[in-house]
Amino acid sequence: MSTGRTEDADGVRTLPRTLAEDLRGRDDAALSALLRARPDLVHPVPADLSQLATRSSTRASVIRALERLDRFSLQVAEALAVAADPCAPQELQALLGVDQDPDVAAAFDPAVAALRDAALVWGEPERLRLVRTARDVLAPAGGQPGPTGLGPLYADAGAGLSPTRLQEILADAGLRSTHDQVSALAALSALFADRKRADALLAQAPEGARGVLSKLTWGPPFGATPPRAVRAEDARTPVEWLQACGLLLPAGRDAVVLPREVALHLRGGLAHRQVQPVAPEVRAARTVDPEQADHAAAAQAFTAVRTVEEAMDLWSTESPTVLRAGGLGVRDLRRAAQALDLTEPHAAFWLELAYGAGLVAPDGEVDEHWAPTPAYDEWLRRPVAERWLLLARTWLAATRVAALVGTKDAKDKVLPALGSGLDRTLAPELRRDVLGLLAALPRGSAGDAASLTARIAWQLPLRGGDLRDQLVAWTLAEAEDLGLTGRGVLARFAAPLLDDDETTTLSRLAPLLPEPLDQVILQPDLTAIAPGPLRTPLAQTLAVAADVESKGGATVYRFTPDSVRRALDAGRSAAELHAFLAEHSSTPVPQPLTYLVDDVARRHGRLRVGAASAYLRCDDDALLDELLADRRAAQLRLRRLAPTVLAAQADPAAVLTQLRTMGYAPAAETADGDVLITRPDARRTPPRTPPTPVPDGPPPVTTGLLAAAVKAIRAGDRAATVTHRAPTPGPLPRTPAAETLATLQTAVLTGDAVWIGYVNADGAASQRVIEPVRVEGGFVTAFDQVHEEVRTFSLHRITGVAELADDEA
Amino acid sequence: MHDGPLIVQSDKTLLLETGHAAADDCRRVIAPFAELERAPEHVHTYRVTPLGLWNARAAGHDAEQVVDALVRFSRYPVPNALLVDIADTMDRYGRLKLAKDPVHGLVLTATDRMVLEEVLRSKKIIPLVGQRLDPDTVLVHPSERGQIKQVLLKLGWPAEDTAGYVDGEAHPIDLAQDGWQLRPYQQQAADGFWHGGSGVVVLPCGAGKTLVGAAAMAKAKATTLILVTNTVSARQWKHELVKRTSLTEDEIGEYSGARKEIRPVTIATYQVMTTKRKGVYPHLELFDSRDWGLIVYDEVHLLPAPVFKFTADLQARRRLGLTATLVREDGREGDVFSLIGPKRFDAPWKEIEAQGYIAPADCCEVRVTLTDHERLAYATAEPEERYRFCATTATKRRVTQALVEKHRGTPTLVIGQYIDQLDELGEALDAPVIKGETTNAQREKLFDAFREGEISVLVVSKVANFSIDLPEATVAIQVSGTFGSRQEEAQRLGRVLRPKADGHMAHFYSVVARDTIDQDFAAHRQRFLAEQGYAYRIVDADDIL
């Protein structure tokens, strides 16, 4: 792999001076390892190695790379960040305490190699260098202590001390006085690098000083007490003595800081209180008979498919509306949960899963509703194992986290199911990790949740925080619900999914699923019991003709007058129902059930309801016969309801007009059956009083007010017509984006001012002279010389950048 | 996949296929913790409830046995969540114990300190407990023993009551087993009760609950207070006790509206106990009038609310509840559990029938059609009058006459709710009517005549629902009832279930008006019969007439 040395064209080995040169020296395998470890660098493919180096050093990319490190690699990087740059391996090993723990020693080289592979560390083996951005992230300069909790070096912390004060400190610390600030601080630094001398100094410390130091040793290194410039002999408190001897230095106006050298001395040279070189072991919570676990998982897988099916069937007829902001209303979720006999979080989980699998979606109408998609019908036709596979595949890859439904986002808004704000990029990766860890356990062992959480926390220390730990718990629960695990054990059929081997999964799962039945048990209490899953046509018919009373391994259906009526409404006849029951019952059909069907059928349809817009009645059936026969009346769509009554589909006024044109003299009827008398009078309201005016106008204008108004208008007008100063003429600088970035980053390092072309949010182009301070996350923070203030510029709005001619700077 | 007889449902019901070879074994192991809910012909439904699980714990079963039974007999894998839930629920019983402390008296002790902390924070518990003796023990006022058990059950931490019982005033009582024997299940029921200390025995009507009570008294050998539903029932208890035990007439007192006798064995009616005068229950002191060693509650499922209240104060005395069903239409099963005790014994109706101790019955619903005139009147009736109207339709009279005619010569009971209707029927059938206003002496006389076979048809109102021993009644015709009460259905069916001398089948008819709420109520009751395993038929009145 990479050696840290570069061979140039002449074959002469030279030391890499930059990351780019280091990368240039790596072989193809090492480069592809880098790109595999940091896929973000491939999008888009960098033009050359310099660009790769630049891109890999951007803050966003570095943070991403750091997030992928396990706990120990991260600790190595953290130690490197507080060590000298470049750093000898021995120094780094000392910071990690290699000699105290053989595990650390064993893990050290692989960890450094991993960091080097990820291009976070470069340089030759004896001179390890952490990428500068990583250093800034892990050991930020200024107020924020890094993850190691170490304060700034003497050289930085003491930079603000006055020479006189520095002399006093040197004297109290028992060091030779020197007037050069740099060598004075170096002397202090050297004092604490020397165990014996440092111990000797600490031995003189007054009582309580140790206690103060121990509070700050492991960070944060800041003490909230106003710094005091006292001499050792005047010190009245331990804190004052520590300040007098330079063990604590001022940090701003009201805090003191423990310099890094001192802290390291107190820590015995270690960067971390606890180094975790070995991944925590995943313990088995219990062992289960693997067969039983597989059966339990398969049963759950079957339930999963059935639950989604039930949910979709429910929404086929009662589709809830889509919230205006997208998602499903809380009430609709509750209703679905009740109808499906699930808790709300469970209902949310299954609905999210169906949504993720493309089985349900908004229907796109003006008044939008959630409804199953055509893909759902397709899905229904597949065998159960394949149906489950789609759900499992969806879940493994989903970034949407159903467990977040009902929690509140940063704006304190409740997150709705099927809405936005549920995506967590960590979720799919973590699910695979958790299942992978379960797969690694001995067969039949259920993973212990706490140890899994600890292990995942070790693997992904920088990812997610609380969310990560919650996700582990959710993953375990959801895997159980989905049937990937049975009683906490990863099912044998689920394991191949982790390697995307779906064929094996299907072949292992299918035989475990219960065989659909074609028979039910009919009982005299009007229940039908399906002692297992039913074939779809039977299940569908039963679902219409009877109500489901309980679900699980079996299904209990109950026939009620209502349910039988429903079947009759759906177009079945009593005879069909009898035949259906007789065919599918493994026992004789009980007499009360037969009676019930007949009894309901007897009453069914005795009353008929239809819609008509108007009716015609006439005591003379012959006249009605005549009307029905008359083709001119066809447009009224007359139908005979009784010998003396016709129903019309046209409204009464149209019927009247048509009948009159046909030469009849019909009379209109009121709702009570009286003849409606149309009055010839024009329409009039009852007596009304006219509205009284409501005084709401402006009060009368006084002369004084008028004068003042005119004056104000004149002033405004003058202000508007004054000509504005024209912007600086000249063309905007134009440079390619990569060059813009590189130039700006250089300018940050050199502190030079540059000339940029900038297009603001309204599209107006302008030129500015800026001194960039920081380039990160697509923004440049810079001092704008034109406006004399610090501003943030979007990188993508900078048209180009040019260095200033000397006279301009 | 193994092929067990049991299917576990997600709503915690268990379906047991009765035709399966292992069904009997399975029934035996699940009966202690699952309540038999429905027992129709092919598949029985049991329900696992917290109360049932705690009942099982009280009877000495542990969660492992329950889980093992489910896993062993289940046809499909049992959802882990359900097993965990069962284990958790069972684990809640007995974390708290009511015990007798030699120094402090009654104390509540915890094996789990957190649970004690939790319940002691409850506002309902605070007034019931006294000083905290140590982190795991708190003093309980002895008078609140029942109250605290009730509250703890509601909080979901049922306490195990190990504080024991007072022996009460001793009184010699023995069973006089001359020419008869306790049936095996009666013996088991009495043993189960005695072993547990207090509790409820569930036996079908006609299975001889009185004898279980007598056997329990013979074990206690102490003064006994028996609470029954009404005076007739009280007389029957007395009659039975004199006949079956060493007790004499003089030792048994009746405490009812008519008489107020307090003897070593006293039989009181719920009605007199719950009579309230000027806001107080004047007869309450009966509970304290003697040092009772045993209190027997007949028909526990009817126990009126005030009696629960008194019972809460009687926790130091042995309590035996007798009932045909733990179903209470008011849902106070939890109070029965915490105040009287857990279920100690039950036997399904059909099983006892199979053993020949109760008669098999043929249940039949007869549907009568209202005349057009009646239908119109029914449609316009006030909602609260509707049931009465359709239940008392004149058409029913003809059907009843036909049915009585069909079974002429066999002892027949016609049971109804509405006095007018009963009077009319009595007249039409030329049979005596027993109703609320009939004097007890007159009732006894008529019942005796019926028992002797002098009268073959008796028209009775709901006063006869309970505890009337008419062993020879073979046909029951119910013409109206208390709406859809399942309890009443059970009781009425029980009237004809006493084993017959000639061993022939009993008949149970319900005459119902078609297309009215009478039919809806009937459906509700019929469902109960079907769930008890009685096949029933529905016939049209025209087939009878």
Side-chain angles (χ1 to χ4, degrees):
Chain A
M1 295 282 239
S2 48
T3 57
R5 288 185 197 278
T6 307
E7 269 179 56
D8 63 12
D10 306 326
V12 178
R13 291 190 146 219
T14 54
L15 299 178
R17 278 167 305 161
T18 61
L19 175 59
E21 280 179 23
D22 182 287
L23 291 179
R24 203 160 281 137
R26 297 190 185 188
D27 57 15
D28 289 353
L31 286 182
S32 62
L34 165 61
L35 294 181
R36 207 174 18 254
R38 296 174 66 174
D40 58 305
L41 298 179
V42 200
H43 303 292
V45 177
D48 53 31
L49 282 171
S50 309
Q51 214 180 59
L52 179 64
T54 316
R55 286 247 302 275
S56 71
S57 321
T58 57
R59 195 176 164 88
S61 180
V62 164
I63 288 179
R64 205 170 286 202
L66 289 173
E67 281 180 345
R68 298 176 76 95
L69 296 179
D70 63 41
R71 168 84 67 205
F72 183 64
S73 303
L74 184 65
Q75 285 182 328
V76 173
E78 284 166 358
L80 205 48
V82 294
D85 183 32
C87 171
Q90 295 74 21
E91 188 192 338
L92 183 56
Q93 285 174 345
L95 278 170
L96 291 164
V98 164
D99 47 355
Q100 294 167 24
D101 188 344
D103 285 341
V104 179
F108 180 76
D109 285 334
V112 172
L115 290 173
R116 193 187 282 282
D117 281 351
L120 289 168
V121 164
W122 57 285
E124 53 189 310
E126 296 78 38
R127 292 159 56 80
L128 299 172
R129 309 187 70 144
L130 187 63
V131 169
R132 193 179 170 76
T133 331
R135 204 177 178 80
D136 290 346
V137 171
L138 294 175
Q144 304 294 323
T148 46
L150 285 169
L153 289 166
Y154 263 115
D156 297 327
L161 290 176
S162 69
T164 338
R165 176 67 192 144
L166 203 51
Q167 289 312 313
E168 292 174 2
I169 291 175
L170 282 180
D172 283 342
L175 294 172
R176 253 179 335 119
S177 86
T178 159
H179 285 286
D180 173 33
Q181 188 161 15
V182 175
S183 51
L185 289 170
L188 274 170
S189 179
L191 169 62
F192 287 99
D194 186 339
R195 289 237 119 223
K196 262 192 208 149
R197 279 164 61 210
D199 284 340
L201 176 63
L202 280 171
Q204 303 166 23
E207 204 173 323
R210 280 264 177 196
V212 172
L213 288 176
S214 70
K215 269 186 204 149
L216 304 179
T217 304
W218 291 102
F222 297 96
T225 170
R228 291 175 53 87
V230 286
R231 297 300 305 262
E233 61 262 30
D234 302 332
R236 278 167 305 167
T237 63
V239 177
E240 284 184 1
W241 184 87
L242 289 170
Q243 294 190 62
C245 298
L247 280 90
L248 291 177
L249 293 184
R253 206 172 298 164
D254 36 35
V256 292
V257 66
L258 185 70
R260 188 178 299 173
E261 289 89 339
V262 183
L264 277 174
H265 169 73
L266 294 169
R267 291 176 178 200
L270 295 177
H272 297 91
R273 192 196 290 250
Q274 198 182 5
V275 186
Q276 288 170 283
V278 186
E281 195 193 348
V282 178
R283 288 188 306 274
R286 61 177 177 277
T287 48
V288 182
D289 172 21
E291 290 276 297
Q292 242 183 41
D294 283 357
H295 278 297
Q300 196 51 42
F302 185 79
T303 311
V305 170
R306 222 159 64 154
T307 310
V308 170
E309 213 177 296
E310 275 164 19
M312 295 298 97
D313 282 350
L314 176 72
W315 280 12
S316 298
T317 48
E318 297 169 33
S319 13
T321 47
V322 178
L323 290 182
R324 198 165 300 168
L328 179 72
V330 179
R331 244 179 266 149
D332 285 320
L333 176 64
R334 193 173 308 144
R335 203 167 300 146
Q338 264 168 12
L340 299 171
D341 198 14
L342 296 169
T343 62
E344 278 171 51
H346 269 98
F349 171 68
W350 295 115
L351 292 171
E352 276 289 340
L353 194 63
Y355 178 50
L359 302 177
V360 65
D363 59 4
E365 304 285 320
V366 180
D367 179 19
E368 245 186 343
H369 283 77
W370 289 101
T373 59
Y376 170 64
D377 296 315
E378 180 59 34
W379 181 74
L380 269 188
R381 280 192 282 275
R382 314 231 132 257
V384 176
E386 280 181 44
R387 281 194 251 168
W388 177 78
L389 189 61
L390 175 72
L391 299 181
R393 195 194 296 144
T394 305
W395 179 73
L396 272 177
T399 52
R400 296 180 66 83
V401 176
L404 290 170
V405 170
T407 59
K408 288 182 175 172
D409 66 2
K411 287 178 193 149
D412 213 30
K413 199 175 76 65
V414 174
L415 294 170
L418 309 182
S420 55
L422 295 178
D423 285 291
R424 296 290 180 275
T425 44
L426 179 59
E429 190 184 331
L430 195 131
R431 289 193 192 114
R432 277 182 179 271
D433 283 353
V434 170
L435 294 188
L437 290 172
L438 289 181
L441 286 173
R443 201 155 147 54
S445 308
D448 169 64
S451 69
L452 269 168
T453 311
R455 172 61 172 266
I456 294 285
W458 186 88
Q459 284 185 358
L460 303 167
L462 286 186
R463 297 289 294 276
D466 281 349
L467 176 72
R468 174 194 58 218
D469 297 350
Q470 282 173 321
L471 271 173
V472 175
W474 293 337
T475 299
L476 288 174
E478 291 175 357
E480 188 76 24
D481 285 343
L482 202 49
L484 284 157
T485 58
R487 311 190 62 184
V489 178
L490 188 71
R492 216 167 77 84
F493 61 80
L497 274 184
L498 295 176
D499 309 321
D500 296 315
D501 178 5
E502 299 188 342
T503 337
T504 314
T505 295
L506 279 182
S507 62
R508 285 183 186 171
L509 171 61
L512 294 177
L513 292 170
E515 191 66 27
L517 304 172
D518 208 20
Q519 297 272 300
V520 296
I521 302 168
L522 292 176
Q523 304 215 89
D525 62 346
L526 302 181
T527 54
I529 290 170
L534 292 179
R535 286 181 199 283
T536 314
L538 174 58
Q540 280 172 346
T541 312
L542 262 184
V544 174
D547 298 327
V548 174
E549 211 173 50
S550 99
K551 291 181 292 192
T555 313
V556 178
Y557 295 92
R558 176 174 292 284
F559 292 94
T560 66
D562 277 348
S563 76
V564 172
R565 201 209 63 237
R566 206 164 54 210
L568 295 173
D569 285 346
R572 305 233 163 210
S573 68
E576 271 173 41
L577 279 178
H578 286 312
F580 168 79
L581 294 174
E583 186 192 336
H584 291 291
S585 173
S586 54
T587 53
V589 182
Q591 192 262 353
L593 180 55
T594 315
Y595 194 94
L596 174 72
V597 171
D598 287 337
D599 199 45
V600 176
R602 178 177 56 83
R603 308 177 63 193
H604 185 255
R606 248 198 334 207
L607 281 173
R608 297 299 181 99
V609 177
S613 296
Y615 63 83
L616 288 87
R617 62 185 188 90
C618 173
D619 294 337
D620 179 5
D621 341 347
L623 183 58
L624 293 182
D625 288 342
E626 193 184 317
L627 264 178
L628 275 174
D630 195 325
R631 259 193 294 165
R632 287 176 298 169
Q635 55 178 329
L636 300 178
R637 285 153 65 207
L638 299 175
R639 194 166 80 83
R640 191 161 216 150
L641 297 181
T644 58
V645 184
L646 297 185
Q649 294 301 330
D651 67 68
V655 174
L656 282 171
T657 317
Q658 181 61 24
L659 290 178
R660 281 179 185 135
T661 48
M662 285 163 66
Y664 297 97
E669 263 188 5
T670 62
D672 303 327
D674 300 332
V675 171
L676 186 72
I677 298 163
T678 38
R679 288 171 211 280
D681 335 313
R683 181 175 289 189
R684 291 290 179 273
T685 68
R688 292 278 181 269
T689 46
T692 47
V694 183
D696 191 28
V701 183
T702 60
T703 22
L705 185 68
L706 206 62
V710 171
K711 215 162 145 187
I713 293 167
R714 286 255 180 255
D717 190 46
R718 261 199 308 280
T721 47
V722 166
T723 47
H724 291 286
R725 198 156 47 88
T728 328
L732 292 180
R734 293 201 172 273
T735 47
E739 195 185 318
T740 304
L741 183 64
T743 315
L744 288 171
Q745 280 174 338
T746 318
V748 172
L749 294 176
T750 57
D752 287 341
V754 289
W755 184 47
I756 62 165
Y758 191 72
V759 181
N760 71 7
D762 302 325
S766 61
Q767 297 176 16
R768 296 160 191 237
V769 175
I770 61 168
E771 290 169 32
V773 183
R774 190 161 65 241
V775 181
E776 65 180 48
F779 291 96
V780 183
T781 311
F783 179 74
D784 185 338
Q785 291 192 339
V786 179
H787 294 92
E788 298 202 317
E789 61 183 2
V790 175
R791 288 198 163 184
T792 308
F793 300 93
S794 284
L795 262 179
H796 69 273
R797 291 221 179 97
I798 297 179
T799 59
V801 58
E803 281 169 24
L804 289 181
D806 287 342
D807 58 326
E808 283 172 305
Chain B
M1 193 146 304
H2 59 279
D3 188 37
L6 194 68
I7 300 174
V8 182
Q9 296 288 83
S10 50
D11 60 356
K12 293 195 196 146
T13 52
L14 312 176
L15 304 178
L16 174 66
E17 212 171 304
T18 49
H20 195 281
D24 279 346
D25 294 341
C26 181
R27 198 203 89 77
R28 245 189 303 285
V29 291
I30 64 172
F33 62 88
E35 216 61 61
L36 179 64
E37 206 175 53
R38 305 205 287 257
E41 214 174 330
H42 310 291
V43 178
H44 290 187
T45 305
Y46 287 80
R47 184 175 290 279
V48 179
T49 59
L51 271 185
L53 292 171
W54 292 332
N55 267 329
R57 272 298 301 265
H61 300 269
D62 62 15
E64 206 168 310
Q65 283 171 308
V66 172
V67 167
D68 178 65
L70 291 181
V71 171
R72 188 147 58 94
F73 286 104
S74 175
R75 180 168 307 172
Y76 303 110
V78 184
N80 199 34
L82 193 128
L83 297 181
V84 170
D85 188 52
I86 285 176
D88 281 354
T89 305
M90 289 187 80
D91 198 32
R92 295 174 82 94
Y93 178 86
R95 297 276 189 102
L96 299 176
K97 272 197 183 84
L98 277 171
K100 193 160 272 175
D101 185 286
V103 186
H104 303 283
L106 190 61
V107 290
L108 182 68
T109 62
T111 52
D112 182 339
R113 197 168 298 168
M114 295 316 293
V115 174
L116 189 65
E117 293 292 343
E118 184 194 318
V119 301
L120 287 182
R121 267 200 295 277
S122 161
K123 276 207 188 72
K124 288 188 181 139
I125 290 288
I126 294 167
L128 306 179
V129 295
Q131 198 192 342
R132 184 87 173 255
L133 298 173
D134 65 60
D136 293 324
T137 315
V138 65
L139 205 64
V140 177
H141 312 301
S143 59
E144 306 293 2
R145 183 163 157 188
Q147 188 76 23
I148 200 166
K149 284 202 289 190
Q150 240 175 328
V151 176
L152 287 174
L153 182 81
K154 284 205 183 91
L155 292 175
W157 294 108
E160 190 179 346
D161 188 348
T162 59
Y165 304 97
V166 295
D167 291 333
E169 186 187 327
H171 190 86
I173 303 176
D174 281 303
L175 285 177
Q177 302 204 31
D178 42 1
W180 65 278
Q181 288 253 305
L182 273 186
R183 296 169 187 165
Y185 65 85
Q186 288 168 333
Q187 188 65 52
Q188 283 167 25
D191 290 347
F193 156 74
W194 190 252
H195 176 76
S198 273
V200 179
V201 167
V202 184
L203 283 176
C205 307
K209 286 192 290 287
T210 315
L211 288 185
V212 176
M217 288 160 71
K219 281 187 180 290
K221 298 197 191 307
T223 50
T224 305
L225 176 63
I226 303 170
L227 297 171
V228 300
T229 49
N230 58 35
T231 317
V232 176
S233 170
R235 303 263 160 84
Q236 250 156 21
W237 266 89
K238 184 169 178 179
H239 179 77
E240 194 77 354
L241 287 177
V242 169
K243 197 165 140 198
R244 308 289 193 180
T245 65
S246 58
L247 292 168
T248 60
E249 290 259 358
D250 299 338
E251 288 170 287
I252 306 174
E254 177 186 320
Y255 196 92
S256 63
R259 280 181 241 170
K260 305 271 184 298
E261 305 160 345
I262 299 175
R263 309 248 174 96
V265 172
T266 301
I267 306 173
T269 60
Y270 290 146
Q271 200 187 351
V272 74
M273 296 307 298
T274 52
T275 309
K276 209 169 179 179
R277 261 190 221 114
K278 291 177 193 156
V280 292
Y281 297 100
H283 301 289
L284 195 50
E285 73 256 27
L286 178 60
F287 283 115
D288 299 323
S289 60
R290 276 193 108 110
D291 185 12
W292 305 112
L294 175 67
I295 300 175
V296 178
Y297 299 83
D298 195 16
E299 316 287 3
V300 162
H301 60 282
L302 293 175
L303 208 59
V307 176
F308 276 125
K309 231 170 137 264
F310 314 146
T311 305
D313 303 333
L314 296 170
Q315 294 299 312
R317 309 193 184 274
R318 284 181 180 272
R319 300 166 307 276
L320 168 64
L322 298 172
T323 182
T325 162
L326 271 177
V327 178
R328 285 185 65 98
E329 313 264 334
D330 63 1
R332 292 188 68 166
E333 290 88 349
D335 286 343
V336 175
F337 175 84
S338 55
L339 293 182
I340 298 191
K343 179 180 79 179
R344 297 294 180 192
F345 183 82
D346 77 335
W349 206 312
K350 271 292 184 184
E351 196 162 283
I352 292 183
E353 183 192 297
Q355 291 169 14
Y357 293 118
I358 53 182
D362 164 51
C363 303
C364 186
E365 178 179 329
V366 184
R367 294 243 172 115
V368 304
T369 312
L370 300 188
T371 60
D372 290 354
H373 176 73
E374 282 173 335
R375 276 167 62 183
L376 187 62
Y378 171 72
T380 52
E382 293 294 324
E384 60 271 22
E385 286 293 312
R386 286 188 135 194
Y387 177 69
R388 183 192 178 92
F389 187 87
C390 58
T392 59
T393 166
T395 324
K396 285 189 175 180
R397 195 167 59 227
R398 289 196 299 130
V399 173
T400 311
Q401 275 174 317
L403 288 171
V404 169
E405 194 55 43
K406 188 176 162 193
H407 295 284
R408 173 153 295 285
T410 35
T412 302
L413 288 174
V414 176
I415 312 174
Q417 166 88 354
Y418 297 102
I419 305 302
D420 298 354
Q421 183 186 26
L422 294 177
D423 286 341
E424 277 174 34
L425 278 170
E427 211 167 294
L429 298 168
D430 191 19
V433 180
I434 296 177
K435 48 195 174 183
E437 63 193 39
T438 314
T439 60
N440 280 326
Q442 178 69 10
R443 288 185 201 183
E444 291 288 350
K445 208 181 107 199
L446 287 171
F447 286 143
D448 279 340
F450 188 79
R451 274 188 279 255
E452 299 306 322
E454 290 160 21
I455 315 174
S456 72
V457 182
L458 210 50
V459 179
V460 292
S461 76
K462 67 174 179 184
V463 294
N465 275 359
F466 312 109
S467 300
I468 301 173
D469 193 22
L470 298 171
E472 285 309 316
T474 308
V475 180
I477 303 168
Q478 105 173 303
V479 291
S480 52
T482 315
F483 309 104
S485 168
R486 290 174 288 167
Q487 234 176 58
E488 188 178 80
E489 191 81 353
Q491 301 291 354
R492 287 182 173 177
L493 176 62
R495 296 307 108 225
V496 291
L497 288 181
R498 307 287 146 105
K500 307 292 172 276
D502 50 5
H504 62 63
M505 192 173 244
H507 294 273
F508 186 65
Y509 292 97
S510 293
V511 186
V512 170
R514 184 193 301 279
D515 298 344
T516 62
I517 45 169
D518 191 16
Q519 184 182 325
D520 298 341
F521 288 142
H524 192 64
R525 300 194 308 253
Q526 293 291 0
R527 181 169 153 188
F528 173 76
L529 287 185
E531 286 169 359
Q532 291 295 336
Y534 286 95
Y536 70 95
R537 298 169 292 132
I538 307 176
V539 296
D540 290 324
D542 297 344
D543 301 342
I544 305 270
L545 291 172

